[in-house]
Amino acid sequence: MPILKPIALAVLALSSTQFWARDAHAQSSAPEAQLLGRVNVSGAAASPALEGPSGSSSRLALSLKETPASVTVIDREAIEMRGASNTQEILKSVPGVVFADPPGSAGSVFYRGFGSGSLAQLYNGISVQYDAIAARPVDSWIVERVEAIGGPSSFLNGSGAVGGTLNVITKTADRSGDISRLYLAQGDRAQAAASLQRDLKALGAEGQVLRVELNRSEGALWTQGRDRSAWQAAASWLAPLGANITHTLALERQHEKVLQPYWGTPMLRAADGTVSGAFRLDPGTFGINYNVVDGRYEQDVSWARSMLDWRPSEQTALRHTFYHYDALRDYDNVEVYKFVQNNSQVERSSALLQRHDQQVWGSRMELSHRSQIAGHRSHFAAGWDWSYNRQTRFPLSVNGPFDVTSPYTPRDSYFLQTPGVSRVYTPGATNLLHTVAAFAENRTELGEGWALVSALRLDRISLDVRNHRTVTATNPALFQARFKPVTGRLGLVKDLSKDWQVYAQASTAADPPSGVLATAGFNALRDFELTRGRQFELGSKLSFDQGRGWATLAVYDITRKNLSITDPNDRTKVIPVGAQSSQGLELNMCWRASSAWTLAGQASYTRARFDRFVETVGMTPTSRAGNRPANVPDVILGLSADWRANAALTLSADWRYVGKRYANTANTIWDEAYSLLGLGAQLHLTPQLTARLRVDNVTDRRYVASLSSDLPFLGAPRSLSAALDWRF
């Protein structure tokens, strides 16, 4: 399916709108709203969904229809209706996104043809610059909503985000009223959670609100021996400090521990020991875990945010956020398994003890002001962004192999009994990442339904990598790199009517040539600048059926240049001349067809390719130009239906299709398309008490969640959960 250049389509569509809608209603400015304010964009919303704020896709408090970009907002109601248990499962409602949580890269997400190294996965608008690892799925209880922005968006939050931005917004104290809620669930995992919010006026604290969120989940997951326990605790305090000044203090603590993590299931091999073609798995190995019995993944995360909001006038608003992130992650595992001896035995290798000690401090100031330019309404936003990111890694790696064992009843083995392994944490390297940035945004109404939206960000990034081990020519005692990326967006929106808009935009991004800055070192960055990404996008947004339905359509073209590739003339070196591109189409829609039925659907087509890419195969540099990046499907489809049978009972169903994906850059190993069906029911036993039932993967489909050339990470089989939700 060829994709026309969106910039050409933009010129055609926007120039013809004068003929289609010369008398179109002039676009009005959206009411002022606090940044990251509460969003209600579900299929059951009483008001047109596209009128809602676009959240973190802009600092101008734009509505979704005013934003010249593809933005998806999944609110709390939609999260609960789909039964999403964690932050990754919420992404099912975002067109074109696939995801998985293998232990070594639990933030494995692909969007518009790009992987987690080229995506920004934010937490309350904050990046810790380690998204593929740090963006582990978090239990969804503490999540208020998730916002997704398609395409380059470094102009919002800094380096990264060539493929898009995913932002998880957690619950904090607000003025929506008192909340008392208890949630108990049982099934493949057990969960107990509670929400409590109180206005403190009765205690003499006029205008102050306190909120507490607690969540605990645990249980054996589907693979042999893979037990998981997790808890989250969050507290926030909203208090007025004076006229039009409020302060919110938000604290959060997360803990997760997985015993004997599942790293994947080995593929069957040909007689010569190679793997090629479609995945072939031995059905008898499904659910078998070959990791050491005492294998471990454990994480402790703390967040602290201080948010000050001041509105000196109706036209002006100021927000300052100071934040601190502290994370400690530990791994003790044997991570690689493959079939040997004509697929009769499994060989285990690659023991890794690893610790990540990471802390991030940051300060962000945002000032917005509404005014006029030559009689045209204009809204400005500007500010600064400062952060200091420090991470030390403590790796101990032993290659092995260590033993061979039965594929069906693997012999118990233990991490500390593995030859060469000990639990001694010796620092390897520390990355010190300083970022200072200035940014500005503007939206100006041009008349006759036209509006121009622009954004610009200037970053100054300083990276110091300190080697704590033996100094070599390729691992110096100190490596320093300095980057000065300039990124931005320019968009044009046209109202064809009050319910129908079209837009065109160009945006840019910058990210490392490989890896992430929080862990990148000498080999990845010497003689390199950040890679450059740019996107042209054309889209349309439509509300219909008197606001009971909405639809968005986007066509895009993204190019990322300066990827690190093997030098064809010297395979021991890498050079910054690689390129990758992606063209695609995304459709998202929701329709409240009647008081009983709500229907929704998403569809995406992605043509992702390496334009220039060379990797070493054996001793030979080999071109992969024209091949598709690993784990990127061409087609993703999703459908959902909610039926309110009566005042007490609501039934729901959702279906998701993921197209064929390749496991390697050579495109010689692949997994065929798969589809998953989910069913749910909600029964209001009383006005305060609701019973919920959810079945995922109803057909018990065997599928691969994350592909690799040797060890695919399989998705979960059928699962069932039942819960009681009490609001009192």
Side-chain angles (χ1 to χ4, degrees):
M1 172 181 172
I3 300 295
L4 296 176
K5 294 289 185 181
I7 192 60
L9 291 174
V11 173
L12 175 63
L14 292 174
S15 63
S16 62
T17 54
Q18 293 290 3
F19 173 77
W20 291 341
R22 187 175 301 274
D23 297 324
H25 175 72
Q27 185 169 341
S28 61
S29 61
E32 186 71 42
Q34 288 188 354
L35 184 69
L36 301 182
R38 184 175 288 257
V39 177
N40 183 10
V41 194
S42 70
S47 59
L50 298 181
E51 299 286 349
S54 60
S56 54
S57 66
S58 172
R59 297 182 174 88
L60 298 172
L62 303 181
S63 69
L64 287 167
K65 71 178 186 179
E66 291 174 325
T67 304
S70 176
V71 181
T72 305
V73 180
I74 303 101
D75 69 359
R76 185 67 211 175
E77 182 181 355
I79 293 170
E80 295 182 0
M81 185 61 70
R82 297 279 74 80
S85 63
N86 62 47
T87 49
Q88 278 198 350
E89 290 187 2
I90 297 171
L91 301 179
K92 292 177 182 177
S93 299
V94 180
V97 172
V98 291
F99 49 85
D101 62 343
S105 56
S108 180
V109 179
F110 295 84
Y111 193 10
R112 290 197 170 183
F114 294 88
S116 52
S118 297
L119 300 178
Q121 297 185 62
L122 312 179
Y123 203 75
N124 291 305
I126 300 167
S127 172
V128 301
Q129 294 292 330
Y130 199 37
D131 300 346
I133 306 297
R136 289 186 62 85
V138 176
D139 287 2
S140 62
W141 180 260
I142 62 173
V143 177
E144 180 66 31
R145 68 187 184 276
V146 170
E147 302 165 349
I149 310 167
S153 45
S154 294
F155 60 88
L156 286 168
N157 299 288
S159 66
V162 172
T165 295
L166 304 171
N167 190 14
V168 174
I169 310 297
T170 57
K171 302 172 182 176
T172 55
D174 57 33
R175 303 197 187 281
S176 62
D178 288 353
I179 298 172
S180 300
R181 188 176 180 187
L182 180 65
Y183 185 89
L184 300 173
Q186 186 62 55
D188 294 290
R189 67 169 189 159
Q191 181 182 10
S195 292
L196 181 68
Q197 178 167 282
R198 288 293 182 269
D199 188 321
L200 304 181
K201 181 179 180 180
L203 301 178
E206 184 72 31
Q208 299 189 34
V209 181
L210 182 66
R211 182 164 186 165
V212 176
E213 299 288 337
L214 301 172
N215 179 69
R216 175 67 187 266
S217 62
E218 60 179 278
L221 301 188
W222 68 275
T223 55
Q224 176 186 20
R226 191 187 183 207
D227 293 326
R228 175 185 181 271
S229 63
W231 58 263
Q232 299 87 38
S236 52
W237 175 31
L238 172 65
L241 300 184
N244 302 318
I245 303 177
T246 61
H247 178 263
T248 302
L249 176 65
L251 305 175
E252 186 176 315
R253 178 78 171 172
Q254 304 171 11
H255 172 81
E256 181 185 15
K257 185 174 183 178
V258 181
L259 298 177
Q260 198 180 7
Y262 163 71
W263 288 82
T265 299
M267 293 181 290
L268 293 170
R269 295 175 174 267
D272 61 359
T274 61
V275 175
S276 63
F279 274 119
R280 293 190 307 124
L281 300 173
D282 184 337
T285 63
F286 186 79
I288 302 297
N289 193 336
Y290 301 97
N291 196 3
V292 289
V293 173
D294 56 346
R296 173 179 68 126
Y297 171 79
E298 190 167 2
Q299 171 176 276
D300 285 287
V301 170
S302 297
W303 280 99
R305 291 179 293 143
S306 171
M307 296 165 283
L308 185 69
D309 290 276
W310 178 35
R311 296 181 59 88
S313 70
E314 288 295 321
Q315 292 76 35
T316 305
L318 182 145
R319 160 169 281 203
H320 178 263
T321 301
F322 178 78
Y323 58 88
H324 179 232
Y325 167 85
D326 187 347
L328 187 68
R329 292 175 286 268
D330 281 303
Y331 299 82
D332 303 341
N333 300 282
V334 171
E335 302 176 358
V336 175
Y337 333 110
K338 71 175 182 179
F339 271 110
V340 294
Q341 300 177 18
N342 198 27
N343 295 324
S344 65
Q345 297 284 296
V346 169
E347 178 186 88
R348 296 188 278 203
S349 61
S350 296
L352 177 66
L353 176 141
Q354 176 68 281
R355 167 168 286 180
H356 303 152
D357 186 354
Q358 183 179 13
Q359 295 199 38
V360 182
W361 292 262
S363 170
R364 181 181 296 165
M365 177 72 79
E366 303 163 5
L367 174 68
S368 65
H369 180 69
R370 294 184 182 275
S371 62
Q372 290 192 348
I373 297 178
H376 297 279
R377 294 180 184 177
S378 188
H379 188 184
F380 292 90
W384 78 69
D385 202 346
W386 169 86
S387 68
Y388 170 61
N389 191 325
R390 184 187 71 198
Q391 181 171 190
T392 302
R393 280 91 57 208
F394 302 79
L396 171 63
S397 178
V398 183
N399 290 331
F402 305 116
D403 67 351
V404 294
T405 188
S406 165
Y408 314 114
T409 56
R411 183 187 313 110
D412 286 351
S413 60
Y414 297 86
F415 187 69
L416 292 180
Q417 295 176 7
T418 304
V421 169
S422 65
R423 189 168 285 127
V424 176
Y425 294 101
T426 303
T430 297
N431 282 42
L432 305 174
L433 185 63
H434 293 81
T435 302
V436 178
F439 55 80
E441 294 185 56
N442 175 259
R443 178 181 183 271
T444 299
E445 297 182 9
L446 305 178
E448 297 188 317
W450 293 87
L452 182 67
V453 180
S454 58
L456 186 69
R457 180 180 173 110
L458 292 79
D459 281 271
R460 297 296 179 264
I461 302 171
S462 300
L463 175 64
D464 297 326
V465 182
R466 297 176 181 174
N467 173 24
H468 301 298
R469 298 190 177 176
T470 304
V471 174
T472 66
T474 58
N475 196 8
L478 176 65
F479 170 67
Q480 296 180 317
R482 303 293 183 260
F483 308 105
K484 298 180 180 179
V486 178
T487 55
R489 173 170 71 187
L490 185 64
L492 195 60
V493 180
K494 168 64 178 176
D495 283 352
L496 301 181
S497 72
K498 67 181 182 65
D499 295 322
W500 185 15
Q501 293 75 37
V502 293
Y503 68 87
Q505 64 125 318
S507 57
T508 61
D511 66 355
S514 62
V516 292
L517 291 178
T519 56
F522 180 76
N523 287 331
L525 294 176
R526 63 171 174 175
D527 304 323
F528 278 77
E529 254 294 342
L530 297 181
T531 68
R532 302 295 179 175
R534 65 104 183 104
Q535 171 183 260
F536 298 112
E537 181 177 325
L538 169 69
S540 180
K541 302 178 183 183
L542 172 69
S543 294
F544 59 90
D545 193 14
Q546 298 180 332
R548 287 185 288 268
W550 56 266
T552 65
L553 176 68
V555 182
Y556 61 86
D557 184 318
I558 305 175
T559 299
R560 179 187 178 211
K561 297 182 178 180
N562 293 339
L563 279 72
S564 58
I565 69 172
T566 303
D567 185 346
N569 300 314
D570 185 350
R571 67 179 183 82
T572 66
K573 295 182 180 180
V574 293
I575 52 178
V577 296
Q580 180 181 343
S581 64
S582 177
Q583 298 86 37
L585 178 148
E586 294 170 355
L587 173 66
N588 195 11
M589 64 180 301
C590 182
W591 180 35
R592 187 172 182 176
S594 68
S595 59
W597 284 95
T598 299
L599 308 174
Q602 307 87 36
S604 68
Y605 170 81
T606 305
R607 183 184 182 275
R609 293 290 184 273
F610 291 115
D611 299 305
R612 296 188 301 276
F613 193 77
V614 176
E615 66 178 349
T616 300
V617 180
M619 301 290 290
T620 306
T622 303
S623 173
R624 303 303 190 197
N627 289 0
R628 191 192 308 171
N631 276 290
V632 175
D634 53 357
V635 175
I636 304 174
L637 304 173
L639 297 172
S640 66
D642 302 312
W643 176 46
R644 188 178 182 185
N646 53 50
L649 178 64
T650 300
L651 303 177
S652 62
D654 52 86
W655 172 81
R656 179 173 168 84
Y657 171 89
V658 177
K660 178 180 177 180
R661 295 159 297 155
Y662 289 102
N664 56 359
T665 56
N667 288 183
T668 57
I669 307 171
W670 63 85
D671 185 39
E672 299 294 351
Y674 69 88
S675 59
L676 301 174
L677 176 65
L679 299 175
Q682 293 185 133
L683 178 63
H684 295 285
L685 303 175
T686 72
Q688 292 78 34
L689 184 62
T690 301
R692 300 176 185 270
L693 181 68
R694 175 73 186 179
V695 185
D696 286 301
N697 192 3
V698 173
T699 62
D700 202 24
R701 173 65 188 265
R702 302 293 193 258
Y703 69 100
V704 179
S706 179
L707 286 70
S708 71
S709 57
D710 287 311
L711 199 63
F713 183 82
L714 303 185
R718 182 190 300 117
S719 63
L720 173 69
S721 65
L724 288 176
D725 188 351
W726 183 28
R727 303 170 189 256
F728 55 95

